[in-house]
């Protein structure tokens, strides 16, 4: 970036130098022309300043000498003589050379010229040397000032007219906040009443307690522009001495807001010290607040240190948690009955209590669910060793990359995921990533990468296992499947279906059996494992580029937020997470589509499933039905019901053994009045309808 | 809506560098070549901050700062001066005229942005 600016600088310098030369020639004939002198000074000043900015440090240093001389000239301390003009012209030539060919600088020539300038007024040179280096806000803190956490009490009292130079005190307070944990108390006792208040004045001042490791200089730096326009006090306080941190009275006395006698007298009453002092008008309420803020801040710092030292976890047998989750589930069911009853009875006191119970139960439910959640990172880390050993065994170079380690899953789910993940990773390593030699041939890096990512998506967790290997060849799969007798040559399958063949029992792509793969047992075990978790598998692959297998798992198995709907006398629950909206379906709409189950929503055509028909519920549908629009991946699909009743916290009870094979129904729940509502698995239902339609 | 910063300097290279740095950081920039040009441009511009060199023809930085503060609409905006180390007295003069802060030349983009954040937020 600097280069393009350097170009502009070079052009600019060249112009300035040309201008300088003509000014100097004029100056020779008009040695007292102030305008010329000012112009010359400015030109030198600019070359010096810009030179330094764009990396021409030697130019800047040299020009500094010339600038000094002309500063004296313009202040009347030095007269212009022919010798000076000659010297300056020579300097211009030198500067031009230094800019155009910085690599060719003859330093002895430069030094000689610089010395000549300096020798013009050696006496004045001394004065210049005494400029004090004032601290600049752009100076960085010197390295090595790594401080540990210290606590400071800061009092910042800006002058009343501080707004007049554009200062915004709140920005300074923000900078403080960014430097560490702090408590800021605004002191408002100087703010006059409205009729004497001047809005352009700053009456507020601030007390701050801050804990930071940046050091006192960093704090002072924050106030660097305003240090002359305010009253600033910064002192270090020790948060750990005395053992029991100072009481309010001690803090006030220490700060000088009151004295010990008054404090003692006030304490002999029975109210809180702070209240007493305020009532007696001895200390302003703001000062009390500020001191209390300090107390609180220190308390928090101490607590933090304590919790870091003490242990923060307790081991609990998993079954106790399971019991707890069960109980919470029952509680949710009973609570929904309570809510329903209370709205029927319509007693306002009861309704209030029922609402409170509902709120608490939701919180209880959320908290209990989260107790069983663990980050998947632990599992991911175990695989690093696996990848290392396995790739060595197979003579390949493979790197395992992980992302989303903090994604949390239920403990049971994580445990059940372990084996399927191991198998999928082994597959990537064995079948996916090619040997280094082959990879080089196809222009890939010798080292292959297997990437494990975990992320939340709605009510699910997605885990991706991606490799940059050879990809899956659909044709090869098809042929192998025919060979194994899984499909026949005439079968016409989509790419997706071909990929899914790798999960068929007995299927294996290995030409020979290694002790890693080949027995054709692995992938279908993976599929069953994922099914058992109510999850789904998706395969995406591109030949020679790689394969990505995605596992989609529900976050929690026991309680979901659902939408309760009715068809005739039957009740159903739809999982709320996938639902986008609800629209009406009239007889007109149905007629308009000539029997096709589709509808228009804001210009988009959305297909729907008429559940009454699908579930063969008898009776006539109402004149206006409701379509509930769900999102499944990139598609939207509607489900038609009679009536939408409302949101319902659904405790999932699994169906008995007899109903396990009904995929479209994922479970059931008991409503407040004891009726059973079936929970619909929208994904499975959609697939079933598509299958039947073909 | 991005904030607008006016940069005033008679050196095109400095103006360009400042402008580029600020635009990269998401600000809108108005350039001026000296104090008079700046005062002409500031009317109705709605700028939120001014960064100005001190040494300029036609009207220098000090004059500009006074001129800006004299206008009710811009009485309280942050104004930052660009100075070199040999101009300590100028710094005080600038503050007296109403400048909010200063940046010492030479400076790099990170330092510029740090000061902008400090006075503008």
């Amino acid at each position: 970036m600097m280069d393009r600016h350097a170009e502009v600088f070079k052009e600019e310098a060249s112009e300035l130098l040309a201008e300088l030369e003509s000014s100097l020639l004029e100056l020779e004939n008009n040695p007292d022309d102030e305008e010329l002198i000012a112009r010359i000074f400015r030109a030198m000043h600019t070359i010096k300043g810009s030179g330094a900015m764009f990396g021409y440090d030697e130019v800047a240093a040299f020009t500094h000498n010339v600038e000094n001389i002309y500063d004296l000239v313009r202040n009347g301390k030095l007269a212009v003589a022919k010798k000076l003009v000659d010297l300056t012209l020579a300097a211009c030539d030198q500067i031009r050379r230094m800019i155009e060919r910085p690599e060719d600088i003859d330093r002895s020539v430069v030094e000689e010229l610089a010395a000549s300038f300096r020798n013009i007024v050696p006496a004045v040179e001394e004065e210049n040397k005494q400029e004090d280096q004032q601290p600049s806000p752009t100076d960085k803190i010197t390295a090595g000032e790594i401080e540990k956490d210290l606590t400071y009490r800061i009092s910042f009292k800006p002058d009343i007219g501080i707004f007049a130079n554009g200062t915004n005190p709140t920005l300074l307070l923000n900078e403080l906040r960014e430097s560490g944990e702090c408590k800021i108390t605004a002191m408002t006792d100087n703010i006059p009443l409205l009729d004497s208040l001047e809005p352009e004045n700053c009456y507020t001042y601030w007390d701050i307690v801050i804990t930071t490791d940046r050091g006192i200089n960093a704090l002072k730096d924050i106030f660097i522009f305003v240090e002359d326009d305010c009253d600033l006090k910064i002192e270090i306080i020790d948060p750990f001495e005395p053992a029991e941190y100072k009481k309010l009275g001690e803090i006030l006395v220490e700060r000088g807001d009151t004295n010990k006698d008054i404090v003692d007298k006030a304490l002999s009453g029975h109210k809180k010290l702070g209240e007493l002092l305020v009532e007696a008008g001895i200390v302003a309420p703001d000062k009390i607040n500020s001191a209390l803020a300090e107390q609180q801040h220190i308390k928090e710092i101490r607590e933090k240190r304590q919790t870091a030292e003490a242990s923060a976890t307790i081991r609990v047998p998993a079954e106790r948690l399971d019991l707890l989750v069960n109980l919470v589930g029952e509680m949710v069911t009973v609570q929904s009955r309570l809510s329903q009853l209370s709205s029927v009875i319509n007693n306002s006191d009861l309704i209030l209590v029922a609402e409170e119970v509902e709120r608490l139960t939701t919180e209880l439910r959320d908290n209990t669910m989260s107790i069983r959640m663990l980050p998947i990172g632990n599992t991911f880390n175990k695989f690093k060793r696996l990848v290392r050993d396995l790739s060595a065994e197979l003579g390949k170079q493979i790197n395992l990359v992980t992302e989303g380690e903090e994604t949390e899953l239920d403990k049971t789910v994580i445990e059940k995921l372990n084996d399927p993940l191991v198998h999928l990773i082994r597959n990537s390593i064995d079948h996916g990533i090619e040997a280094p030699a082959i990879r080089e041939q196809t222009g890939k890096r010798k080292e292959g990468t297997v990437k494990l990512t975990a992320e939340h998506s709605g009510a699910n967790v997605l885990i991706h296992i991606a490799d940059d290997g050879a990809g899956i060849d659909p044709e090869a799969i098809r042929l192998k499947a025919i060979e194994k007798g899984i499909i026949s040559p005439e079968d016409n399958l989509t790419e997706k279906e071909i990929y899914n063949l790798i999960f068929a029992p007995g299927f294996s792509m290995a030409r020979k059996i290694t002790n890693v793969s080949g027995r054709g047992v692995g992938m279908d075990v993976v599929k069953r494992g994922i099914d058992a978790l109510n999850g789904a598998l998706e395969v995406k692959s591109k030949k020679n580029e790689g394969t990505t297998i995605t596992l989609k798992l529900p976050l929690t198995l026991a309680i979901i937020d659902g939408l309760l709907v009715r068809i005739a006398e039957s009740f159903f629950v739809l999982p709320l997470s996938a639902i986008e909206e609800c629209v009406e379906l009239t007889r007109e709409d149905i007629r308009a589509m000539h029997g096709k189950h589709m509808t228009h929503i804001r210009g988009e055509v959305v297909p729907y499933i008429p559940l009454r028909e699908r579930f063969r519920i008898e009776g006539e549908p109402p004149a206006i039905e409701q379509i509930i629009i769900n999102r499944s991946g990139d598609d939207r699909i509607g489900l038609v019901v009679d009536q939408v009743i409302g949101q319902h916290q659904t405790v999932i009870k699994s169906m008995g053994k007899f109903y396990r094979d009904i995929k479209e129904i994922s479970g059931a729940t008991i409503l407040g009045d004891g009726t059973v509502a079936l929970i619909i698995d929208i994904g499975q239902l959609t697939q079933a309808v598509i299958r039947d339609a073909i | 809506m991005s904030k607008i910063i006016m940069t005033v300097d008679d050196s095109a290279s400095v103006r360009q560098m400042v402008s580029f740095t600020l635009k990269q950081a998401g600000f809108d920039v108005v350039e001026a070549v000296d104090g008079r040009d700046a005062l002409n441009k500031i009317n109705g511009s709605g700028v939120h901050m001014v960064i100005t060199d001190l040494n300029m023809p036609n009207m220098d930085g000090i004059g500009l700062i006074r001129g800006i503060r004299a206008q009710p609409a811009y009485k309280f905006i942050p104004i930052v001066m660009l100075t070199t180390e040999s101009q300590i007295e100028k710094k005080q003069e600038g503050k007296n005229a109403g400048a909010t802060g200063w940046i010492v030349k030479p400076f790099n983009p990170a330092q510029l942005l740090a000061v902008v954040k400090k006075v503008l937020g």
Side-chain angles (χ1 to χ4, degrees):
Chain A
M1 200 253 294
M2 273 313 180
D3 305 313
R4 60 121 75 100
H5 294 303
E7 276 310 306
V8 180
F9 167 67
K10 274 175 153 173
E11 274 176 40
E12 188 184 272
S14 158
E15 274 174 32
L16 282 168
L17 284 168
E19 197 192 291
L20 255 178
E21 282 178 349
S22 54
S23 299
L24 282 166
L25 291 171
E26 258 189 70
L27 186 67
E28 222 177 344
N29 299 328
N30 300 309
D32 296 315
D33 189 334
E34 285 186 9
E35 171 60 40
L36 280 172
I37 296 175
R39 218 186 293 162
I40 293 174
F41 175 81
R42 244 194 337 265
M44 284 296 170
H45 181 81
T46 304
I47 294 180
K48 180 184 103 170
S50 305
M53 294 235 314
F54 300 110
Y56 291 89
D57 296 320
E58 298 208 31
V59 171
F62 177 70
T63 317
H64 180 68
N65 295 301
V66 186
E67 186 200 34
N68 273 350
I69 298 303
Y70 280 89
D71 197 21
L72 295 171
V73 172
R74 73 173 178 165
N75 288 332
K77 293 208 179 103
L78 184 66
V80 175
K82 182 170 186 322
K83 193 166 163 232
L84 179 59
V85 176
D86 282 342
L87 209 45
T88 317
L89 284 167
C92 285
D93 288 336
Q94 184 57 33
I95 294 172
R96 188 179 285 115
R97 272 196 294 275
M98 295 207 292
I99 292 178
E100 274 167 22
R101 277 203 304 279
E103 26 353 302
D104 267 353
I105 301 178
D106 186 345
R107 294 214 167 73
S108 54
V109 172
V110 176
E111 188 42 42
E112 214 185 288
L113 266 175
S116 324
F117 276 99
R118 284 201 288 271
N119 289 337
I120 295 184
V121 264
V124 197
E125 176 80 350
E126 289 310 311
E127 245 181 72
N128 285 340
K129 277 218 174 86
Q130 276 160 23
E131 282 165 19
D132 45 339
Q133 276 287 3
Q134 292 234 346
S136 151
T138 51
D139 282 346
K140 289 200 174 42
I141 309 284
T142 53
E145 260 191 44
I146 305 167
E147 311 259 352
K148 53 181 173 48
D149 269 350
L150 288 174
T151 306
Y152 306 84
R153 188 189 285 151
I154 303 178
S155 160
F156 170 45
K157 201 168 176 176
D159 288 351
I160 200 168
I162 202 169
F163 295 148
N165 64 10
T167 305
N168 183 344
T170 52
L171 292 178
L172 298 173
L173 297 175
N174 285 345
E175 266 194 78
L176 277 173
R177 283 198 187 94
E178 283 172 15
S179 309
E181 284 286 319
C182 71
K183 291 224 181 349
I184 304 181
T185 316
M187 314 299 273
T188 54
D189 46 295
N190 278 348
I191 302 182
L193 291 176
L194 201 53
D195 41 351
S196 41
L197 182 109
E198 296 281 339
E200 295 183 355
N201 287 345
C202 179
Y203 301 100
T204 318
Y205 59 103
W206 287 270
D207 278 354
I208 303 122
V209 184
I210 181 170
T211 302
T212 176
D213 60 359
R214 301 209 189 161
I216 197 169
N217 286 326
L219 292 178
K220 286 189 181 156
D221 263 0
I222 292 177
F223 296 96
I224 196 168
F225 287 156
V226 300
E227 52 187 7
D228 298 329
D229 306 312
C230 73
D231 233 342
L232 184 68
K233 276 201 288 275
I234 305 182
E235 41 177 355
I236 301 184
I237 55 181
D238 186 344
F240 299 104
E241 276 305 313
E244 201 187 288
Y245 194 65
K246 307 169 201 163
K247 295 214 168 73
L248 175 59
E250 288 170 352
I251 300 179
L252 288 170
V253 169
E254 202 177 278
R255 290 169 168 214
D257 292 331
T258 181
N259 67 45
K260 195 168 182 317
D261 292 331
I262 298 183
V263 170
D264 287 339
K265 182 148 179 258
L267 276 174
S268 57
H270 284 291
K271 286 198 187 150
K272 282 205 175 135
L273 174 64
E275 288 172 25
L276 292 168
L277 289 173
V278 169
E279 269 175 29
I282 299 172
V283 184
D286 284 328
K287 298 215 180 344
I288 304 283
N289 286 338
S290 179
L292 283 171
E294 182 178 312
Q295 235 184 13
Q296 180 64 16
H297 184 90
I298 301 296
K299 187 165 157 223
E300 284 171 15
I301 301 286
R302 290 186 172 192
E303 270 171 13
K304 262 202 195 126
R305 189 195 247 197
Q306 261 180 359
T307 45
E309 289 163 357
S311 137
T313 56
I314 303 181
R315 295 176 92 80
V316 173
E319 346 167 292
R320 284 203 200 156
L321 281 179
D322 290 340
L323 268 173
L324 182 61
V325 169
N326 248 354
L327 279 174
V328 171
E330 298 293 331
M331 178 107 194
V332 167
T333 310
V334 169
Q335 175 265 312
S336 69
R337 279 175 62 198
L338 174 66
S339 292
Q340 211 193 36
L341 268 173
S342 83
S343 65
V344 163
I345 294 178
N346 213 356
N347 174 317
S348 53
D349 290 326
L350 183 60
I351 290 180
L352 266 168
V353 174
E355 277 174 10
E356 184 78 19
V357 172
E358 183 173 341
R359 200 180 52 75
L360 286 169
T361 319
T362 313
E363 231 184 294
L364 185 63
R365 179 198 90 172
D366 288 340
N367 266 301
T368 320
M369 289 302 119
S370 73
I371 292 181
R372 292 179 51 94
M373 305 279 266
L374 288 174
I376 200 170
N378 295 335
T379 314
F380 279 0
N381 283 334
K382 286 200 312 226
F383 293 142
K384 293 206 169 158
R385 181 68 197 273
L386 169 71
V387 169
R388 190 177 158 282
D389 292 345
L390 204 49
S391 43
E393 198 181 310
L394 293 169
K396 301 185 184 172
Q397 290 173 15
I398 304 184
N399 187 22
L400 178 67
V401 174
T402 59
E403 220 178 78
E405 297 91 333
E406 61 298 341
T407 313
E408 287 188 347
L409 285 162
D410 185 274
K411 183 170 190 288
T412 333
V413 173
I414 290 189
E415 281 165 9
K416 296 206 175 131
L417 263 184
N418 195 59
D419 287 348
L421 278 177
V422 166
H423 198 91
L424 287 170
I425 294 178
R426 290 188 125 152
N427 243 45
S428 283
I429 297 181
D430 201 12
H431 298 298
I433 310 244
E434 317 90 322
I438 302 184
R439 283 179 71 89
E440 262 186 327
Q441 269 176 22
T442 48
K444 291 187 189 172
R445 288 178 44 218
K446 260 175 151 182
E447 196 190 52
T449 310
V450 171
K451 192 164 175 202
L452 283 178
T453 5
E455 54 174 346
H456 282 298
S457 163
N460 297 313
V461 168
L462 299 175
I463 301 180
H464 307 279
I465 303 114
D467 66 61
D468 60 354
I472 300 179
D473 183 0
E475 195 46 38
I477 305 260
R478 214 173 75 84
L479 291 172
K480 201 70 172 193
I482 295 174
E483 188 190 307
K484 300 259 175 185
I486 300 175
I487 56 172
S488 66
E490 306 89 54
D491 285 343
N492 212 341
L493 296 135
T494 66
E495 199 173 88
K496 217 173 176 183
E497 287 165 332
I498 295 180
Y499 287 150
N500 283 336
L501 283 173
I502 58 181
F503 299 115
F507 185 93
S508 168
M509 283 304 291
R511 275 176 293 277
K512 60 180 175 47
I513 298 177
T514 70
N515 68 354
V516 176
S517 337
R519 296 171 195 275
V521 178
M523 284 309 241
D524 81 316
V525 170
V526 169
K527 183 154 202 312
R528 268 188 279 142
I530 303 297
D531 281 346
L533 290 168
N534 275 336
L537 269 170
E538 197 184 75
V539 179
K540 274 205 179 96
S541 176
K542 208 147 182 212
K543 199 164 171 200
N544 289 328
E545 277 184 27
T547 311
T548 303
I549 302 189
T550 305
L551 309 175
K552 187 165 92 156
L553 303 155
L555 263 180
T556 161
L557 309 172
I559 302 184
I560 59 165
D561 280 319
L563 187 68
L564 184 61
V565 300
R566 181 183 64 77
I567 305 174
E569 301 301 319
S570 310
F571 292 93
F572 299 89
V573 170
L574 298 168
L576 201 56
S577 51
I579 296 181
E580 284 197 339
E581 58 179 323
C582 201
V583 288
E584 285 185 348
L585 181 69
T586 63
R587 292 293 163 83
E588 297 292 315
D589 301 328
I590 303 179
R591 264 201 295 268
M593 296 306 285
H594 305 300
K596 289 209 198 311
H597 295 311
M598 289 195 249
T599 182
H600 283 295
I601 299 182
R602 296 184 294 271
E604 190 193 337
V605 173
V606 181
Y608 61 74
I609 303 173
L611 286 177
R612 199 180 253 270
E613 257 179 60
R614 176 91 195 153
F615 293 156
R616 306 212 192 123
I617 298 177
E618 290 176 358
E620 279 297 305
I624 303 179
E625 294 169 284
Q626 306 291 329
I627 315 183
I628 299 162
I629 312 289
N630 299 277
R631 176 163 292 279
S632 163
D634 293 322
D635 305 314
R636 307 215 300 160
I637 184 155
L639 297 170
V640 180
V641 301
D642 288 359
Q643 183 195 9
V644 172
I645 300 178
Q647 229 172 300
H648 187 266
Q649 251 190 62
T650 311
V651 180
I652 304 179
K653 295 267 181 237
S654 52
M655 307 286 280
K657 261 198 274 233
F658 300 129
Y659 306 106
R660 242 357 123 62
D661 287 333
I662 305 179
K663 297 281 185 196
E664 294 97 327
I665 305 292
S666 61
T669 184
I670 305 180
L671 298 179
D673 63 354
T675 335
V676 173
L678 296 177
I679 303 170
I680 299 180
D681 184 327
I682 302 176
Q684 293 284 358
L685 176 63
T686 316
Q687 281 183 36
V689 168
I690 294 176
R691 267 200 304 270
D692 290 349
I694 297 175
Chain B
M1 261 208 7
S2 16
K3 297 219 171 140
I4 310 172
I5 303 184
M6 177 182 277
T7 158
V8 191
D9 201 313
D10 56 333
S11 158
S13 52
V14 171
R15 270 202 319 273
Q16 202 196 58
M17 184 266 216
V18 171
S19 199
F20 182 78
T21 307
L22 292 176
K23 281 184 185 157
Q24 288 260 296
F27 295 103
D28 287 335
V29 179
V30 175
E31 291 185 26
V33 304
D34 61 42
R36 195 173 305 157
D37 186 25
L39 278 181
N40 286 337
K41 285 191 170 139
I42 204 171
N43 273 317
S45 62
V47 306
H48 301 93
M49 175 178 171
V50 176
I51 302 176
T52 175
D53 192 15
L54 287 181
N55 253 297
M56 302 179 289
N58 291 325
M59 184 192 289
D60 69 2
I62 305 289
L64 173 61
I65 295 171
R66 290 210 186 97
I68 295 176
R69 289 289 180 228
Q71 302 191 27
Y74 302 104
K75 210 167 160 193
F76 300 110
I77 62 169
I79 305 179
V80 172
M81 324 175 257
L82 299 177
T83 76
T84 60
E85 328 87 60
S86 48
Q87 294 180 303
I88 299 304
E89 336 76 55
K90 280 286 184 194
K91 212 165 77 185
Q92 192 51 50
E93 221 187 303
K95 288 210 74 190
N96 292 341
T100 314
W102 62 89
I103 305 178
V104 177
K105 281 194 206 177
F107 57 86
N108 63 44
Q111 291 167 329
L112 173 65
L113 290 174
V115 172
V116 171
K117 182 158 187 251
K118 192 195 230 328
V119 300
L120 189 58

